[in-house]
Each structure stands twice: as structure tokens, then as C-alpha cells.
Amino acid sequence: MSAPVSEQRRQVLHRRVRLIVAFTISYNIIEAIVAIWAGSMASSAALIGFGLDSVVEVLSAAAVAWQFTRKDPERWEKPTVRAIGIAFFALAAYVIVDAILTLTGIEEVDHSPLGIGIATLSLIVMPVLAWFEFRTGREFGSRSVQADAKQLLLCVYLSGTVLIGLLLNTLFGWMWADSVAALVVAGLAIREGIEAWRGEVESPFGTLDEDDD
């Protein structure tokens, strides 16, 4: 349960959310363009899926941005959280189809140094951004902001699985590796989508949050 915050502090947190959302949208637009382009050049379904995940993140962040342009953002909390939940389900559906196509040999994951680079960058940027956004949302009790932070954290998981898959394919020719890991990510996305839909948004950072309390 979040402690009450003053109106002055609430305004500061609102501005912080807008800045976080603006950065998230800008970064993910660039990430989506680079990943989809690299995926197309390398015929990599995994990278294209990674780029589409960035598009979902942009939509999620845009939903939060829209909420905080309203006169009373708290009033729009429930529909915004549910919109983010739908984004999780859409991402899970794509990842599952993409993984099955790769596992059945219909699509292949080719080598892509650029893809490895953008996945690595996301592993550095997204955990910090997700943690900062979740802390901000938790301070003034916004479940939509916390749900959006978990969307960013899912990007970290997806970045890791895509990176592992690309590296294993490059080093050993194991094209199936990223598909198996992607199915795990899809399961996580479904779980997070259900939690967001129900409004059950728990901290994904565990002991880090406990230590800061």
C-alpha cells in the first residue's frame, strides 16, 4: 500500500512519468526500426519479433502518456491497465507463432551482428528504466505506470532470449535455441497480462524494492 503523497510531490511524480514515457517511446521507436530492419536483412524472425515487441512497448507507453494528459489521471487507471494487459497478450501470441514457425523449419534465424548489438543495448538500458518507472508508479500508487514498467522488464527478458538465440546460432548453428527461450517469454507475457487485466501489479524487482523501503 503506497503512503499518501502531497499534491506538490504528486505533480513532480506526474512530470517524471511524462519524461519516462517520452524517453521510452523515443528509444523504442528507434529500437523497433533497427530490429525490424536487421531482422529483414538477416531473414531473422526472432529479430522481427523483437522489433514488434518494441512497437507494443510504444503502444503501452502511449496509453500511459494519454492517461496523464487527462485532468484526473487516476480516473483512467483501470482502462489503461487493461490496455497494457491486452498488449501483453498480443505480444505473447506473436512470440508463440514466431517460435513455432522457427521450430518447424518454416523460418530460420540467421546471423546478425547488428541484432546482437541492439539486443545487448536493451539489456543495459531497459532494466534501469523499468526499475525507475516502477518506483515512481509505486510511490503514488499508479498501477498503470507499474504495469508499463513490467512491460519494459519483459523487453529485458525478450532481449536476453533473442541475444542468446542469436549467439548460439552464430557460434553453434542452433537455430532452435531462441525459439525455445521465446516460448518461456510468451508464458511470462501471458502471466503479466493476466495480472495487469486483474489489476494485480506486484513489484518485479523483489528484494531491491524491499531494501529501499
Side-chain angles (χ1 to χ4, degrees), residues 13-25 56-74 76-85 87-88 133-134 136-137 140 142-152 196 201:
L13 293 172
H14 283 193
R15 286 195 296 272
R16 184 184 297 175
V17 168
R18 288 193 287 269
L19 287 173
I20 292 171
V21 167
F23 178 83
T24 299
I25 291 174
V56 172
E57 288 169 28
V58 169
L59 295 176
S60 176
V64 174
W66 173 85
Q67 179 192 355
F68 281 86
T69 61
R70 305 297 92 189
K71 185 175 182 180
D72 183 13
E74 288 76 11
W76 301 95
E77 189 79 11
K78 187 174 181 179
T80 302
V81 172
R82 288 198 164 184
I84 294 172
F88 275 121
E133 183 175 23
F134 192 90
T136 301
F140 67 99
S142 173
R143 293 188 178 277
S144 61
V145 175
Q146 294 175 66
D148 187 57
K150 297 189 79 173
Q151 172 70 40
L152 295 181
V201 184

Side-chain angles (χ1 to χ4, degrees), residues 48-211:
I48 293 174
F50 180 57
L52 291 177
D53 167 67
S54 299
V55 174
V56 172
E57 288 169 28
V58 169
L59 295 176
S60 176
V64 174
W66 173 85
Q67 179 192 355
F68 281 86
T69 61
R70 305 297 92 189
K71 185 175 182 180
D72 183 13
E74 288 76 11
R75 177 185 175 187
W76 301 95
E77 189 79 11
K78 187 174 181 179
T80 302
V81 172
R82 288 198 164 184
I84 294 172
I86 292 172
F88 275 121
F89 294 139
L91 174 59
Y94 180 86
V95 170
I96 289 171
V97 172
D98 177 58
I100 291 174
L101 290 175
T102 302
L103 285 171
T104 56
I106 296 176
E107 296 183 357
E108 296 183 353
V109 181
D110 295 331
H111 302 172
S112 177
L114 181 59
I116 291 173
I118 192 67
T120 301
L121 181 61
S122 289
L123 282 175
I124 298 171
V125 174
M126 287 301 167
V128 176
L129 186 62
W131 178 82
F132 189 54
E133 183 175 23
F134 192 90
R135 292 277 298 175
T136 301
R138 192 181 67 168
E139 184 173 345
F140 67 99
S142 173
R143 293 188 178 277
S144 61
V145 175
Q146 294 175 66
D148 187 57
K150 297 189 79 173
Q151 172 70 40
L152 295 181
L153 197 64
L154 185 64
C155 175
V156 177
Y157 302 146
L158 189 57
S159 299
T161 59
V162 169
L163 179 60
I164 291 171
L166 291 174
L167 288 174
L168 290 177
N169 184 40
T170 298
L171 297 173
F172 306 109
W174 295 353
M175 292 183 294
W176 51 265
D178 70 323
S179 297
V180 173
L183 289 174
V184 175
V185 173
L188 292 172
I190 292 172
R191 186 192 70 181
E192 303 299 347
I194 292 172
E195 287 184 1
W197 186 265
R198 293 175 176 172
E200 300 170 356
V201 184
E202 298 179 357
S203 173
F205 300 99
T207 54
L208 285 177
D209 283 331
E210 293 172 4
D211 291 342

